[in-house]
Amino acid sequence: MNYGHFRADGSEYLITDVGTPSPWINYLQNGRYFATISANGGGISYYKSPLHGRITRYRINDVPPDRPGKYIYVRDVDSGEIWSLTWQPVGRDRSAYRAAHGFGYTRVEADVEGIASTVLFFVPPDDDQEIWRATLRNDSGRRRRLAVVGYVEFALGHALIDLINQCDDQHFNRVRYEPGLNSLFATKTYWVTETGGTQHQENKEWDQWAFFTVNRPVAAYETLRERFLGPFRNESRPLALETGTLSSRDTDYGNAVGVLQVDLELPPGGLEDVIFSLGVIPKAEFDRRKLATVTKYHRPTAAEAALNALRAHWDGVFRSARVETPDPDFNLFLNLWIPYQARIAFDVGRVASFYYWGIGRGFGFRDTAQDTVAVVLGDPARARERVLLLARQMRSDGKVYHHFTTDGRGEFTEHCDDPLWFILAVTEYIRETGDVDVLQKTEPFLDGPPGTILDHLFAVVSFARRRLGPHGLPIFGRGDWNDTLDYIGGRDGGESVWGGMFTVAMFNRLLELLSFLKTGVDLEDLTYARDRMREAVDEFCWDGEWYIRAFGENGRRIGAKENAAGRIFINTQSWAVIAGLQDGERLKAALDSVRKELATEYGPKICAPAFREIDPRIGLITRCVPGKKENGAVFCHPAAWLIQAECLLGRGNAAFEYFRTLLPNRVDADTFVAEPYVYSQYITSDEHESAGRASHSWQTGTAAWMYRIGLDYILGLRPSYEGLIIDPVIPSSWPGFKAERVFRDTRYVIEVANPDGVESGIVSIVADGAPVKGNILPISKNPECRVSACIRKVGG
Ligand code: GLC
């Protein structure tokens, strides 16, 4: 790869050329305190909410991009030379810099002016601050006097107000220095949380003190951007560094910054540590916690201990599954980078990245439900919390907030699919953990008395059964999984064929759970509803070679042969299989049509041909440039479902080929542009001149699904209420594979052999020396269980 590569053990992505085609970022976070950081030090910091709790600024749409960030400048006091410990913002010789993104930390190394430096950025699991631990070594052979200057630009509270009302908002900033603590404290005396910046003026202050501190005596400091950068300058060449004078004055207005200078004298070979940290202390606890909080990481040993805790945290995430197949990329991504990304998407709630500015929306209901299915493996407690959080976003009629913030606000829309994702989250949580008691847990409905989780599930069922169109399929409303099919059929809405399949699949899950529980609940009614929906799909939606996508106004068909654009959509092919539609020949034909009509060298497209004419009776998808986003891109998230569907038909070669094609490190980086170590939301398809270009990296459900589909369907190690299923569907070229999977407190150490070179067909399983009937490993009572299994040719 042109800009970097994985470390051999997969534990880091090493960026050898920091001039990446877009900012290649990482996340430093503990679920409360969040920071993004690129290989060049750019990024934001926020506490809990990127909208309401923004600590630092990030100038969106700026040139150059990716500014400001977490910057440490160095000034050679004798020569006046200035550089930064990350390549940006000063931008000295690019080849002098290298970066590494690891799990929860980023490290940048440089060799400039005879000073070798390393900065390690991370957030401790237990403290709401980010550490920037710099080490400088004098390799120049002469004595050096250096000013080392840490820099952040504050936002202090509401990110949108900071952006759109700075002329007034700046009058509420306060920054003051406390000499005894080597620390700056900053806050805002006005805080908006209830409105999006309307005329209504709220009567409160930001509830946090931000702090910026360093572990050495401060020689000088600055608090106002104008004084530090100087007029008509940016971060590349701050005036105060040229003159060598910082004002050391507090501020009570203006663009607030935190700048701390420490002076170092390094003999030849001398090595010194400078630890900056940036964080928050809630005002309610300020007096009690201030001293301990700001001084804690002044001690290198505390920073070491926090780094070890961080490593242990991520090891805990990764330890629930470990695979060893003949494909090294599959192993590396499935063992490390896919679960890493999935956990980040879950923790961040998909709201903040280089592409998502954290000011527009809260958690998505369907997004959160899907992110949960990956996290339940390593962290069932957090998954349970999320299931309960989702329950609290529901009305007693089953309707849910489309987007919500964790402090209790949300927005209702008319999407037909949202509530049904709750069934996915609950059933997957119980399959994994066996925690059926969660169903009796009570959570409030938004509009009335509390109900159990089981009541919430039935509220979803009633929602799904209420809103049916003339074909007996869900009324589309303002979208289904695809948010851009928002005016199907014009204002009143047509019907979603995918929504019908999805309903069948979710009802199947619920029926499976209820039959297992033997609750005594009468299943006839639910079975009846499921069967009617399945029949409606079978009867009205098959188009000869594939399933159509929707009915619009006057029964107009969308995703059908007569359409010039959007003739075929991926989701109604893969979900026909996932929903368990009955006609096997049709299912095969549907997936074959995907290959024929949608496959590209970058992966399968979401639909084709892309729309080139605006159609207000279909909606946003038709307004989007062809080949990007939902309008015909390789949208990675639904591509994962295609892999599941291929596996369900036993076609391991096809499934694995799609999986490999979609891996983010496969395309040349100058073409791909986005980070090669995480999935992007989409890859531009062959219908656009920038084919192969990926965008919206990190915050996509792709990681969660690829994780589960890689483990559950390709390797076939999938949880069920009765035990762990073993049913691999692999490339025929694999002689077998090994895997470890922690399930219900037992570590299953599994070896699968494929002596005939087939794609699927489990014939034997032996667990701890005893043959197992069928393909479900009964739940073991031992901490470890050794399993060998074999797939063979039928009759072989
Ligand atoms: C975005 C949304 C997701 C939606 C998808 C397709 O990724 O976050 O909820 O399903 O687009 O429109």
Side-chain angles (χ1 to χ4, degrees), residues 350 356 361 366-367 481-484 630 635 681:
R350 306 242 199 123
Y356 294 119
R361 55 185 216 183
R366 80 160 82 84
D367 296 346
W481 171 86
N482 190 328
D483 287 325
T484 63
E630 284 93 336
F635 215 87
Q681 181 198 64

Side-chain angles (χ1 to χ4, degrees), residues 539-619:
E539 195 177 335
F540 305 118
C541 308
W542 179 247
D543 196 27
E545 284 171 271
W546 61 78
Y547 288 93
I548 65 167
R549 181 65 174 83
F551 287 103
E553 68 288 351
N554 305 322
R556 170 195 181 193
R557 305 190 321 160
I558 288 137
K561 289 210 170 119
E562 63 270 22
N563 304 140
R567 288 176 80 222
I568 172 170
F569 282 73
I570 194 170
N571 270 355
T572 36
Q573 317 324 317
S574 46
W575 279 85
V577 181
I578 297 168
L581 295 193
Q582 310 284 290
D583 187 330
E585 287 313 307
R586 281 189 180 179
L587 299 181
K588 274 196 211 122
L591 295 198
D592 290 344
S593 296
V594 169
R595 174 158 296 271
K596 195 160 140 236
E597 310 280 333
L598 298 176
T600 73
E601 63 174 299
Y602 302 112
K605 294 189 270 196
I606 186 172
C607 65
F611 294 90
R612 283 161 199 276
E613 305 282 333
I614 292 175
D615 185 340
R617 290 180 176 178
I618 294 181

Side-chain angles (χ1 to χ4, degrees), residues 1 601-602 661 663-672 676 683 692:
M1 301 298 285
E601 63 174 299
Y602 302 112
T661 304
L663 283 176
N665 67 339
R666 215 189 46 82
V667 179
D668 159 75
D670 284 314
T671 305
F672 199 72
I683 305 168

Side-chain angles (χ1 to χ4, degrees), residues 59-75:
R59 261 182 289 288
I60 53 193
N61 266 347
D62 202 11
V63 277
D66 195 29
R67 292 219 184 150
K70 302 135 203 313
Y71 297 145
I72 302 176
Y73 295 95
V74 181
R75 176 171 184 273

